[in-house]
Amino acid sequence: MSLPIVLAGARGHGRWHVENIRRLQAKGLVRLVGICELTPLTEEEFGGELPAQSADFGALLDATGAEAAVVCTPIPTHTDLALTAARRGVHLLLEKPPAPSYAEFRRMADGVAAAGVACQIGFQSLGSHAVPAIRRLIAEGAIGEVAGVGGAGAWARDEAYFRRAPWAGRRRLNGADVIDGALTNPLAHAVATALVLAGAGRAEDVAEVETELWHANAIEADDTSCVRVTTGGGRTVAVAATLCAERPDEPYVLVHGSRGRITFWYKQDRVLLQRAGHGPEEFEYGRTDLLENLAAHLTAGAELLVPPEATGAFMKVVEAIRQAPDPAALPESAWRLLPAERRRVVPGVDGLVAACADTLALYSELGAPWAAQEVSFR
């Protein structure tokens, strides 16, 4: 029997979920029975015959008899919508970041657990078969003792990206936390994946978080930032990100060992193993779709890949960023506008991002002149 599903949020990134649901529907695994949008979609916009629509998520779940829901809505709405579904016994795929604060995350995770429903957090990179493969390599001692894990994301976003929605690029909106920064939303996968590969996925695995938050664009949140986590086990996880890259490239996570290192380009499911006494070895892996995994969990008892507790450490990083001083504006001398692309770039930031991942150092420690004395400890 295919799983009846409601999608909350079918525009923006939600369009990806529409296509993914169609793919799984063609395989007979799910069927889309409803769409929740404040403004209804047209058939032309949807690209076919529409299921039931309503702006009232709870009423739509009741009317359709949905057994699962995909929530791809603004970050501040995640917890309340998740709990609306949970109270009805409806299982969830909840987009990342799961919440804008650790308190809201706990309210969501505890409420979902109390209701006894399954909840998958939408970190697609954690569905990559490369993740367990890398963890096996680490456990087998392929690169010796692991000292730390770096992450690098050098992306580009034009100025329109920060105007795509009222909450875009905001720290807060109408008194509610949003925390839509480079590390917490577009490059959140780099943070979450680095923590998991460091063996620090749970909240209690985080001992300390250091942050450096900046923005070149005219926004509240950060678009050029780095974070360093000290785990309870003494490992270091350092992730740097920018949305102002000169030459945007694939983000990656880098595991540092005493006798080698492992590079994981998580969007490509590609791994490079470099170790003493061997030539470089490259591997490509498959990936399990997280909605497909949720359906398999509900129908066949498959293990859920990304339950809320597996993202607790990531949420501790989100909380440290939330509690840090508001990101500082980069001086105008530190960025320039590319008129043809309508985006701002920070000269030299591509190298800084890579150096952070390579050395586990922060921007200020690497000599970025605009980054002096901006570390926040939590």
Side-chain angles (χ1 to χ4, degrees), residues 156 216 244-246 334-338 341 343-347 349:
C244 306
E246 294 180 282
W335 59 268
R336 59 189 175 90
L337 178 67
L338 299 183
E341 299 177 37
R343 70 180 184 92
R344 300 183 185 189
V345 301
V346 177
V349 76

Side-chain angles (χ1 to χ4, degrees), residues 356-372:
C356 284
D358 198 45
T359 64
L360 307 180
L362 300 173
Y363 290 145
S364 59
E365 296 167 341
L366 292 169
W370 39 263

Side-chain angles (χ1 to χ4, degrees), residues 74-96:
I75 301 165
T77 68
H78 284 185
T79 292
D80 284 341
L81 290 179
L83 295 179
T84 295
R87 284 192 293 268
R88 291 165 167 78
V90 174
H91 307 282
L92 285 156
L93 172 61
L94 180 62
E95 257 301 345
K96 60 80 192 161

Side-chain angles (χ1 to χ4, degrees), residues 150-154 238-242 249 252 254 256 261 348-361 363 366:
V239 183
T242 186
D249 206 351
Y252 60 89
L254 179 58
H256 295 270
R261 64 188 200 171
V349 76
D350 303 28
L352 280 170
V353 166
C356 284
D358 198 45
T359 64
L360 307 180
Y363 290 145
L366 292 169

Side-chain angles (χ1 to χ4, degrees), residues 230-251:
T230 303
T231 73
R235 286 178 174 169
T236 299
V237 177
V239 183
T242 186
L243 303 180
C244 306
E246 294 180 282
R247 297 175 183 82
D249 206 351
E250 286 292 330

